[in-house]
Amino acid sequence: MITIAAGRERHLARQRASLGSFCAPGRYVVVAMGDGATACCRQACGPEADVIAVDVGLQGLPLAHARNAGALHAIARGAELLVFLDVDCLPGPRLLERYQTAAASAPTSLLCGPVACLPPPGREGYRDEDLEELARPHPARPVPAEDALVHTRDHELFGTLSFAVTAETWRAVGGFCEDYVGYGGEDTDFGQLAARAGVDLCWVGGAWAYHQFHPTQDPPVHHLDDILRNAATFHRRWGWWPMIGWLKAFTELGLTDGLEPAEQWRLGQAGRSPTPP
């Protein structure tokens, strides 16, 4: 299992505890992003995890690079199935079992498990036995029957909260494009790379992940610069705009000028600083 992290030490520690309760990953790779993150991750997830470090530049967290680094580390140590789980997610009791079963029957597919969102935890945090009852399925993602495998070519639905891929298929897709730095876009790009490689999506019923609560913004104004920069990168690569709902919301808030004749989203007068196209 591969998790990338910067901060979120409590969420990482809770993920590690759930792994210990439900299933034992063949190798638990944690990619620590930024100065000081390595020590914090080691403390949070214990000595059995492989903690590797990647640097953080001025533009933000290297999410694409970190996932690639985690995959390369796991493959170099013999991993045949790569399971990626977001640091905010807790594995359900059948997550690894279901991904392993799906990989055996659909080894050339990009495997995606359903994700459910948890409410804020109580004083004692989350209990494993309460996760299923507390969580609500992600409204924008399919929820297959518990033992079903549902194949699709709708690659725009791919997300990085929870997914798995065989090492062979990972090589066929080529990993994440590292032109993306900071929040947004690299997941949609990976879905398009999979489509170009002829790799379909397979939704894996029963491979539940539970997303731990944390405060969010909608639209995510705190990621404005990242989203504009990465959306422009995606448009250059694929010819259409990702994250269009957020881009339109930013325009409605006066944070961008919308689509210019040159087809670049730009910061409006209320923006913090210009972002180069």
Side-chain angles (χ1 to χ4, degrees):
M1 180 172 289
I2 300 165
T3 298
I4 65 174
R8 297 272 207 272
E9 289 87 1
R10 290 185 179 180
H11 283 195
L12 180 62
R14 187 66 185 80
Q15 180 186 99
R16 184 70 185 96
S18 285
L19 282 171
S21 298
F22 290 148
C23 47
R27 187 174 293 272
Y28 186 40
V29 179
V30 177
V31 185
M33 295 179 284
D35 292 340
T38 302
C40 291
C41 287
R42 285 200 175 111
Q43 183 176 5
C45 58
E48 296 180 358
D50 289 3
V51 179
I52 63 175
V54 296
D55 294 331
V56 173
L58 296 177
Q59 288 187 320
L61 295 175
L63 306 179
H65 172 60
R67 292 192 186 98
N68 288 345
L72 289 174
H73 180 90
I75 290 171
R77 283 151 183 79
E80 297 179 357
L81 178 64
L82 308 176
V83 178
F84 291 81
L85 192 63
D86 188 89
V87 68
D88 290 329
C89 287
L90 304 176
R94 301 180 65 207
L95 181 139
L96 286 181
E97 169 209 332
R98 289 295 296 143
Y99 275 145
Q100 289 165 349
T101 300
S105 62
T108 60
S109 293
L110 183 54
L111 309 171
C112 301
V115 176
C117 301
L118 290 165
R123 290 184 178 181
E124 298 181 0
Y126 301 114
R127 298 192 310 168
D128 289 334
E129 57 268 30
D130 296 335
L131 296 180
E132 182 178 358
E133 181 179 351
L134 289 172
R136 296 294 177 265
H138 194 296
R141 296 292 185 269
V143 181
E146 285 299 287
D147 291 315
L149 300 179
V150 179
H151 293 267
T152 176
R153 298 292 295 178
D154 193 355
H155 290 80
E156 291 181 49
L157 290 179
F158 173 74
T160 55
L161 291 178
S162 173
F163 72 99
V165 63
T166 64
E168 181 179 355
T169 301
W170 172 267
R171 295 186 188 98
V173 175
F176 285 83
C177 173
E178 296 188 8
D179 292 347
Y180 297 89
V181 179
Y183 185 83
E186 87 288 347
D187 51 354
T188 310
D189 189 283
F190 187 82
Q192 295 306 298
L193 289 172
R196 188 172 69 183
V199 174
D200 70 353
L201 290 187
C202 179
W203 293 95
V204 182
W208 281 101
Y210 300 102
H211 189 275
Q212 301 176 82
F213 175 84
H214 61 81
T216 60
Q217 285 183 310
D218 188 16
V221 173
H222 55 307
H223 292 304
L224 175 65
D225 294 333
D226 292 355
I227 289 171
L228 293 180
R229 182 180 63 249
N230 287 339
T233 296
F234 186 97
H235 189 273
R236 286 196 298 270
R237 285 170 54 80
W238 300 102
W240 52 277
W241 293 102
M243 306 178 284
I244 194 68
W246 288 343
L247 294 176
K248 289 180 177 178
F250 292 153
T251 299
E252 292 172 0
L253 292 172
L255 298 174
T256 73
D257 293 330
L259 280 171
E260 299 285 334
E263 293 189 317
Q264 298 291 345
W265 289 81
R266 303 180 188 278
L267 288 173
Q269 295 300 313
R272 296 174 301 219
S273 60
T275 300

